Amino acid sequence: RRGLTCWEKMKSYKKLKLKLNKQAIDEVVNLPYYVYEDRDLKESVLACAIKSIDGQPNNLFKNIPDLCKDYKLTSIAGQIPTITKYITSFKCDVGRARIFRQEPGKITQKHIDEENYHNPKEKHLRVWIAINGNPDFKILLGDDEITLNTGEAIVFDPDSAHGAKNLSKTETRFSLNLIIKPNNWLKENCIEYW
């Protein structure tokens, strides 16, 4: 958490006040999803980039140096106006933005992203937004296991242990995953998670 001073005295996660409109689920079901060849996500999710370094929806990886200002909306953004409006409503820099599709029974094991290791030029936080909600969709943050309702969002330090489980036997979990540069606007729009 080095360099994230506004978050040091907090729990490693907060709830975001901004909620995503429930219409978002209708926009994401039929998007193209790509295998995410990431060590932690490869077997557990498919993804579609909404913001990527080259504007392509299949480019799911970060750039080095990883600066939020360098990412641009992909060709998919026009097909998902609710989600695009939500992303662009943030009054802080948003880097990578991806929709994750997690099929029933899939688990993303707890891991640490090393997002802020090695003293990068820009420090980041992660925002996960539940596009659809289900009591069987679990988010793992440190020792906590939480559930988000449709449209709710959580902000956390990606260098703390996190993961996700879809324990449903029938429903696919969709989430919007954002990389953001923290600022005072973000701090003012977060509340304690109860």
Side-chain angles (χ1 to χ4, degrees):
R1 287 188 214 142
R2 295 174 298 234
L4 300 176
T5 55
C6 66
W7 298 90
E8 286 175 359
K9 294 185 170 80
M10 302 177 170
K11 206 168 191 168
S12 67
Y13 59 91
K14 292 274 193 179
K15 195 178 229 181
L16 188 62
K17 290 179 187 176
L18 278 67
K19 289 192 176 181
L20 178 63
N21 188 305
K22 293 181 182 193
Q23 295 171 323
I25 189 64
D26 297 331
E27 295 178 358
V28 302
V29 174
N30 294 315
L31 290 178
Y33 287 92
Y34 305 92
V35 173
Y36 195 175
E37 295 289 339
D38 180 79
R39 66 176 191 235
D40 303 313
L41 304 174
K42 189 174 174 180
E43 301 296 324
S44 62
V45 298
L46 297 173
C48 180
I50 308 310
K51 284 187 84 177
S52 70
I53 198 65
D54 61 2
Q56 297 301 312
N58 63 339
N59 188 345
L60 305 165
F61 291 98
K62 69 180 173 183
N63 194 42
I64 305 294
D66 194 16
L67 304 174
C68 288
K69 67 176 182 56
D70 293 340
Y71 291 83
K72 52 189 164 205
L73 291 170
T74 68
S75 57
I76 295 296
Q79 298 174 41
I80 52 170
T82 303
I83 291 173
T84 301
K85 183 178 178 185
Y86 180 81
I87 293 169
T88 58
S89 74
F90 277 62
K91 292 179 178 56
C92 63
D93 291 338
V94 177
R96 283 177 291 149
R98 298 155 297 169
I99 296 172
F100 286 171
R101 178 185 177 124
Q102 189 175 41
E103 297 297 334
K106 294 289 186 175
I107 296 174
T108 303
Q109 297 298 328
K110 276 202 279 190
H111 60 281
I112 294 172
D113 290 338
E114 301 176 10
E115 188 80 25
N116 298 306
Y117 283 29
H118 313 296
N119 199 25
K121 289 183 179 183
E122 187 174 278
K123 307 288 185 183
H124 296 142
L125 291 174
R126 176 93 17 107
V127 182
W128 276 356
I129 303 100
I131 295 174
N132 59 334
N134 181 315
D136 290 329
F137 300 165
K138 306 294 182 184
I139 295 174
L140 313 172
L141 294 166
D143 293 330
D144 296 339
E145 187 173 286
I146 64 172
T147 302
L148 295 176
N149 294 318
T150 299
E152 289 183 332
I154 197 91
V155 179
F156 65 95
D157 178 351
D159 295 335
S160 60
H162 60 279
K165 299 189 236 180
N166 181 353
L167 301 176
S168 171
K169 298 204 181 321
T170 58
E171 190 175 354
T172 299
R173 175 180 172 262
F174 292 93
S175 62
L176 177 59
N177 181 313
L178 307 177
I179 305 297
I180 56 170
K181 182 179 172 183
N183 65 6
N184 283 334
W185 174 86
L186 181 67
K187 186 177 180 182
E188 292 165 5
N189 281 282
C190 287
I191 55 176
E192 290 295 330
Y193 190 86
W194 301 107

